[in-house]
Amino acid sequence: MPALADHLLRTFAAVPVGSRVLDLGASPHATALDRLGLEVYACAADGDALEALRGVLEEAGRVTAVPRLDALGYPDAFFDWVVAVEGIPAGALVEVLREARRVLVPGGWIYAAAPLATPAALTAHADAAGLALAEAPRPCGGGSALVRGIYRRVEPGTPL
């Protein structure tokens, strides 16, 4: 997944230090985001996915096992960014994105990658979850079957 990792890290290099980020599915990118100075939280329904992050993030209480990714247990409007690139069940993508939208601050961003056939399919899922397109989705490249895109929680009064 080098193309996805490169794009994700370039995107997050511009995110202000200290921004609160939720990594849904506890991707291997969480440690790199933590090293960029972001306040990274990770959650997953799969305990094995969390195991690799425990040494890095657990001391700060930022690693959580959740029964379902569409019921996170975090407060509303808690995160500046959500990363959803690993471990998201294809049939639950809209529900997971809807829950991710709930935990985002107004104006917050979602970096999503999913195994979908077309970029338009990812945007259709994001639209159904109430998210606005921020960066057009495209295939990740590098032999990956993932499509990635960036979306935003936009509401009346959200600064652009």
Side-chain angles (χ1 to χ4, degrees), residues 2-151:
L4 173 65
D6 291 347
H7 183 263
L8 187 138
L9 293 176
R10 276 194 312 273
T11 298
F12 278 88
V15 173
V17 169
S19 294
R20 197 175 290 156
V21 178
L22 174 61
D23 187 328
L24 284 178
S27 78
H29 310 295
T31 54
L33 297 176
D34 185 67
R35 286 192 301 271
L36 287 173
L38 305 171
E39 186 179 333
V40 179
Y41 290 68
C43 67
D46 173 13
D48 293 338
L50 292 170
E51 204 52 45
L53 300 178
R54 290 203 187 278
V56 176
L57 303 177
E58 190 170 45
E59 288 179 21
R62 295 183 275 145
V63 175
T64 308
V66 293
R68 296 180 6 209
L69 292 179
D70 60 351
L72 297 174
Y74 292 105
D76 293 352
F78 190 70
F79 294 101
D80 302 301
W81 276 85
V82 171
V83 175
V85 299
E86 299 282 335
I88 307 220
L93 185 57
V94 171
E95 292 79 12
V96 170
L97 290 175
R98 204 173 273 137
E99 178 67 352
R101 183 189 184 285
R102 180 191 68 77
V103 300
L104 277 174
V105 298
W109 307 83
I110 293 180
Y111 188 106
L116 297 170
T118 66
L122 182 57
T123 294
H125 284 79
D127 285 346
L131 296 165
L133 178 65
E135 181 181 292
R138 59 189 55 166
C140 291
S144 171
L146 296 175
V147 174
R148 65 157 166 83
I150 299 176
Y151 301 89

